[in-house]
């Protein structure tokens, strides 16, 4: 599939802008995810992994893999989200890469905060802890969003 997308970029009409081609690929990936893969955890992981590889090759925007994850986390049950979050934890090193970190950090923080808002602190303590540990691993110590600037 990766080769097909690369071929699309190479053979697309030369007058079309790169951003137009990126948008087309992103739209296709989002359609595949939401229409075909949304109910299958492994398929969701494969689509997101493919989007990470495409983003590394600059065939789609660097923040798009996180956008796909946010879309899935928004529409699925907490049990599915907990299973999918394991994939996010496994790929923390990918999201920390310089190519992904700057464009993705705010979206990942928002995604985690949205998940924490949906969870019960007393009934889902393990999942809440996993999310907080992920954020601690993801953000460097010098990151302003992780500092207690106003001493509260």
């Amino acid at each position: 599939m990766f080769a097909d997308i690369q071929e699309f970029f190479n053979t697309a009409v030369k007058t079309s802008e790169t951003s137009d081609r990126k948008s087309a690929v992103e739209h296709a990936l989002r359609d595949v995810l939401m229409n075909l893969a949304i109910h299958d955890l492994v398929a969701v992981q494969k689509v997101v992994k493919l989007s990470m590889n495409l983003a590394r090759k600059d065939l789609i925007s660097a923040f798009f893999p996180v956008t796909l994850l946010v879309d899935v986390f928004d529409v699925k049950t907490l049990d599915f989200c907990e299973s999918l979050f394991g994939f996010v934890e496994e790929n923390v090193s990918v999201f920390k890469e310089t190519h992904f970190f700057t464009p993705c950090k705010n979206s990942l923080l928002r995604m985690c905060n949205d998940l924490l808002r949906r969870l019960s602190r007393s009934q889902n303590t393990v999942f809440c802890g996993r999310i907080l540990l992920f954020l601690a691993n993801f953000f460097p110590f010098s990151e302003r969003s992780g500092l207690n600037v106003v001493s509260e």
Side-chain angles (χ1 to χ4, degrees), residues 54-123:
L54 292 172
R56 280 192 184 111
K57 300 287 186 186
D58 201 33
L59 299 176
I60 61 172
S61 304
F63 64 86
F64 192 72
V66 176
T67 303
L68 290 176
L69 286 171
V70 168
D71 289 347
V72 174
F73 280 121
D74 283 347
V75 299
K76 295 306 284 182
T77 64
L78 289 176
D79 290 334
F80 190 92
C81 291
E82 188 170 3
S83 300
L84 182 59
F85 196 76
F87 173 77
V88 175
E89 290 172 314
E90 291 169 8
N91 289 292
V92 68
S93 60
V94 173
F95 294 121
K96 288 175 82 169
E97 292 175 7
T98 55
H99 184 72
F100 291 108
F101 183 76
T102 303
C104 294
K105 67 180 181 178
N106 291 334
S107 296
L108 275 170
L109 179 61
R110 191 175 306 111
M111 178 188 76
C112 290
N113 284 335
D114 288 344
L115 277 173
L116 287 170
R117 206 171 292 114
R118 289 174 58 191
L119 294 170
S120 166
R121 303 262 181 195
S122 60
Q123 293 179 349

Side-chain angles (χ1 to χ4, degrees), residues 30-48:
R30 182 174 266 160
D31 274 354
V32 166
L33 182 70
M34 288 301 169
N35 294 329
L36 302 175
I38 193 70
H39 303 295
D40 183 9
L41 178 66
V42 175
V44 170
Q45 292 173 349
K46 286 180 180 179
V47 171
V48 173

